[in-house]
Structures are given as structure tokens and as C-alpha cells.
Amino acid sequence: MVGAAPKVKADPRADRTTAGARGRVLRVGLIAALVPLSLTLVQCGRAPDPATLAANSQANVQVVAKTSTQVASGDTFEDRFPAPQFKERFPSASESFLQRQVSDFSPKRAVQQPQPEARYKVASLEPQVPYKRPPREDLTTLVSMKSSAFPYFGNNPASDAPFLNISKGDRRGHRSYSGRVYWQDETYSDSRVLVHVPEHFDVRKPGVIVVFFHGNGATLERDVRDRQLVPKQITDSGANAVLLAPQMAVDAADSSAGKFWQAGGLKRFMEESANHLARLTGDPDSARAFANMPIVIVGYSGGFLPTAWSLEVGGISDRVRGVVLLDAVYGEMDKFVSWIESHRSGFFVSSYTRYTARRDRELMSMLRQKGISVSEDMDGPLRPGSVVFVETGDGITHRDYVTRAWTRDPLKDVLVKMSATPSLALTRVASTNPPAASR
């Protein structure tokens, strides 16, 4: 028809041509995008090429050179990557880094925790036996004591003059009654005391302390211990007794009493010795027992002087349970009479040779005048209040009197007789004939 719009019919082949062209374009674009990516991935799996690295490094240098006016002056490798400082690698103890020692890395032993105390008791399968003191050997030793007789710098009470009454340069000495001079540094400076504790001694039982004053010309080791056998006699008696023998004038013909002249001298000596005896016997708590233990004073020959003054001014005459003089009444008889008269609970024994017979008979007469009974033999037991004088024959010498008087070992005999009387408070804790091993 004229004037009508013509109808055009689409050609299907043209549509197919256009769609095919578009598909080819898409495939080409996809391939172009994937090829560089695949090359990049392949390159990542290979080591860097040295030549490429060198070229890149040279290029960087050129770029930096060209742009040095535009880049900050501190923008170098060292500035961007500074070397670490010491404090950054090794922090101080105050910083958070924990300081450790080699021992921190050593194996640790397990710490055993304390176990709670059991609230039950396990019955013993063994029978219970009483405690027994462990065996102990005789103890004989020398101990220095401040309260011993010497050194002495006081007065001689006989003259009220200084005891050290002569000097020669820096040396001081004493002129004896015989006129002989003894120097302080040689004769009056030994403060040692011979201490003897028998193996059978038991501080828990009634006992006694024997104080022995030796005679003239003696030393503790050579004479008191080895020749007169005083420690051995005490052990052989079996009595519960210990010995204290202070060194008097060393190997000199002098009877000076030293500190035992002073008021309270014996008391200070016994107080100091109590501590030493407690230590030597291994029981510090026994000092009190020793400090209250009865005393027997034995004076031989020139030992009469310290014996007499200890009874008169010693300060503890009430503790003295007995006095034994062995050929020793050379004077000071008034002091012996005074003690015997005022201490009727103790005993007094004086054994003598013809050398002291006159003075002993005078002393017996003084006592009888005061109504005190006197015995002249040692056959009976010793009792509180016993006063005994025994004269020995001509065959008995003064030098051997400590080991042979009215009997052999007179000290042993006195202690045995004393032990036989309970009222004298001395226990016999061993046989009088101990085996040879304990001698």
C-alpha cells in the first residue's frame, strides 16, 4: 500500500555475525589479561636474577641522584634502618626484660613440703630401760682460774705490808721469812688448778669437793699428781668426790696463801670452780649442784696456812664438812680451834710426826679446855663432831706423808670412812679396789 511504513524483516545471519565478533573480542581481552599474570606467577617461583638486581640497584642510585634536591637529607638506608643500639638488644634490669642467671635454667629439685605432725604414737616393740649415764674415763686436767692463789698483789696479813716487798728493775718479788727472795714471775704467777673427776662420779648423788693445799717445794704435776697420787687416792676410795688443788708457791720453800688470805677468797674460788666442774663433766646445769656441794679441806705441811685462813675468812666455812691436816700444824692454832668449836657438824683429823708433835699436843690441850672430846686413833668411824689426832712412828717420813701416814693412802682412808657415815652426806658409788683399767 502507498503511504504505509514498510515492514522490514530482520536477517538472522546478521545477528549471528555480530555476536561472534563480540565473543572474539572478549576472548582476546581475557587472554591479554591472563598472560602477564601467568608470567608473574612463574617468576615468583624462581630465584632473583643477579643482573636484574644490579640493574635495579643502579637505576635506584640514578633516581636518588636525580631527586636528591627533593628527598630529605636523612632519607638514607642508615637513617631508615639504623643499627640497633646496645640497650635495645640488652635491656637493663629496670626494664621489662627479665634478667636470668645460668642457675635459673638448671634442673630444680622438688621441694618437700613439711608433713603435718602425727597425732598418734607408735607403740615400741622393745622394752623400756632406765637411762644410764654413758661411760666416762677419769678426768685429770689443769685449769687456770682467776680466783686461784696467785698471782697476788695484796698485803701480807702477818705484817700488813705489801706481799711483793722487793723489786729489782721491773721485777717484783717476795722476801720470805728465811730471807730468800722469790720473784713474782717465777714463783707467784701460776694460776692453774689441778682438777680431777673420777669416772664413777655422779653429780646427782651426794658428793664432796676435796680442796687440797700442797706443801712447800711442790708443783701440781710432779708432786700432787705423780708423787703424792692425790687424784688416784680419790678415785680408789670409790667415794663420790672430785678434787681441786690450786698451785701455791711454785717449787719454793714458802707457805704464802695468796688470795686465800683475803676475805671471801675461798668462796670466790669455789664459785668459779663450780662452773669449770660443770663444763668438764659435760652438764652445764650441774653448776648449781657443785656450788652447794660440801667441802673437805686437806692441808699438807705448808698447806696449813691457806687452810687456816680459808676457815677463818673464806666466807663459806659452813660448807666445810671436814678438815684433814697431814703433818701440818705449824701455827695458826687459834683459827683451827675456832672452826672446830663453831662447826660441830664437821670432823677434824690431824696426823703428825715428831716434827709437829709439840704443836699438835698444844692444839689438843686447847680443845680439851673448851670441853671438846678428842680421840687419838683412826680405828673408829668418822662422825659429825669427830676430832681425831694420830701420831705416826719414826719410820714414817714427812716427804712421803701424803701416801703413807697412819695407813697407806690416808686420803683414801678418810673418804672411805666418811662414806660409811650417811650423816656426812657422801655416797660411795664404786668399790675401793677398782680394776687396773680405771686407775
Side-chain angles (χ1 to χ4, degrees):
M1 279 178 68
V2 179
K7 297 181 180 178
V8 182
K9 188 176 183 179
D11 189 354
R13 290 181 296 177
D15 295 336
R16 288 195 296 268
T17 301
T18 303
R22 292 177 179 175
R24 286 194 296 271
V25 173
L26 291 174
R27 286 195 295 271
V28 172
L30 181 61
I31 292 170
L34 291 175
V35 169
L37 178 62
S38 63
L39 293 175
T40 302
L41 293 174
V42 171
Q43 190 69 25
C44 289
R46 297 178 181 178
D49 182 13
T52 303
L53 288 176
N56 291 336
S57 177
Q58 186 65 25
N60 289 336
V61 171
Q62 293 175 357
V63 171
V64 172
K66 292 179 181 179
T67 59
S68 59
T69 58
Q70 301 175 359
V71 179
S73 61
D75 192 17
T76 65
F77 181 84
E78 288 77 8
D79 292 332
R80 287 181 291 167
F81 305 101
Q85 300 298 314
F86 181 86
K87 65 179 181 178
E88 295 172 343
R89 289 180 291 164
F90 303 98
S92 64
S94 63
E95 296 176 298
S96 60
F97 185 77
L98 181 61
Q99 302 292 315
R100 293 186 181 275
Q101 306 295 328
V102 175
S103 59
D104 295 336
F105 302 97
S106 60
K108 300 294 191 297
R109 292 185 300 178
V111 178
Q112 187 175 3
Q113 298 296 329
Q115 299 298 321
E117 182 179 357
R119 298 184 177 275
Y120 56 87
K121 294 183 179 180
V122 179
S124 174
L125 299 179
E126 297 292 335
Q128 300 297 314
V129 295
Y131 169 78
K132 291 184 178 180
R133 179 176 59 85
R136 183 187 65 224
E137 295 182 353
D138 279 6
L139 172 65
T140 306
T141 187
L142 293 170
V143 178
S144 179
M145 295 191 190
K146 294 180 180 180
S147 58
S148 191
F150 296 103
Y152 176 67
F153 302 99
N155 290 345
N156 186 338
S159 61
D160 203 25
F163 171 69
L164 299 176
N165 53 12
I166 192 170
S167 62
K168 183 179 180 180
D170 293 335
R171 298 185 77 187
R172 300 179 66 187
H174 170 69
R175 187 183 297 276
S176 66
Y177 293 114
S178 65
R180 182 173 177 176
V181 174
Y182 294 104
W183 298 105
Q184 191 271 338
D185 57 351
E186 295 177 347
T187 309
Y188 309 111
S189 62
D190 195 341
S191 63
R192 295 178 300 168
V193 177
L194 180 67
V195 181
H196 175 72
V197 182
E199 63 176 345
H200 58 250
F201 178 78
D202 190 342
V203 72
R204 298 168 298 179
K205 297 180 180 180
V208 69
I209 299 175
V210 177
V211 178
F212 181 83
F213 293 118
H214 66 75
N216 294 353
T219 66
L220 295 177
E221 295 169 287
R222 183 193 67 201
D223 298 286
V224 176
R225 185 191 64 187
D226 298 338
R227 181 172 63 85
Q228 299 168 341
L229 304 176
V230 176
K232 180 180 180 296
Q233 291 190 53
I234 291 177
T235 293
D236 290 353
S237 72
N240 200 42
V242 298
L243 169 68
L244 298 173
Q247 176 68 61
M248 307 307 291
V250 178
D251 205 10
D254 181 34
S255 303
S256 298
K259 293 188 182 76
F260 294 103
W261 268 326
Q262 297 176 323
L266 180 63
K267 181 179 180 180
R268 289 188 290 274
F269 177 75
M270 298 308 298
E271 288 175 346
E272 184 179 0
S273 67
N275 293 322
H276 286 289
L277 287 168
R279 177 178 56 83
L280 291 172
T281 55
D283 183 7
D285 295 333
S286 65
R288 178 176 297 182
F290 284 114
N292 293 287
M293 196 170 289
I295 303 167
V296 170
I297 300 179
V298 180
Y300 163 64
S301 187
F304 81 96
L305 197 61
T307 300
W309 281 91
S310 294
L311 295 175
E312 181 78 6
V313 301
I316 52 172
S317 59
D318 290 341
R319 273 183 63 190
V320 178
R321 195 59 50 85
V323 176
V324 180
L325 299 179
L326 299 174
D327 208 22
V329 180
Y330 289 92
E332 307 293 348
M333 290 181 287
D334 57 328
K335 293 180 175 58
F336 295 123
V337 171
S338 176
W339 183 83
I340 295 170
E341 185 179 19
S342 58
H343 295 83
R344 302 306 296 140
S345 62
F347 64 85
F348 180 89
V349 175
S350 179
S351 179
Y352 59 96
T353 64
R354 60 186 178 88
Y355 301 104
T356 58
R358 181 179 62 83
R359 293 186 178 87
D360 273 84
R361 294 190 182 106
E362 183 180 351
L363 181 55
M364 283 189 278
S365 177
M366 295 171 64
L367 292 169
R368 285 174 174 144
Q369 291 177 5
K370 292 183 175 293
I372 297 173
S373 176
V374 174
S375 173
E376 295 191 53
D377 66 72
M378 279 289 291
D379 295 336
L382 282 177
R383 296 187 176 91
S386 294
V387 178
V388 183
F389 287 81
V390 184
E391 184 175 10
T392 53
D394 293 340
I396 307 300
T397 64
H398 179 78
R399 176 177 172 79
D400 298 332
Y401 213 75
V402 179
T403 55
R404 189 183 178 196
W406 68 88
T407 184
R408 287 191 176 276
D409 297 337
L411 290 183
K412 170 186 173 181
D413 188 55
V414 168
L415 291 173
V416 169
K417 292 180 181 296
M418 186 179 175
S419 301
T421 306
S423 57
L424 291 177
L426 177 60
T427 301
R428 186 175 169 189
V429 292
S431 64
T432 56
N433 294 309
S438 66
R439 290 175 182 264

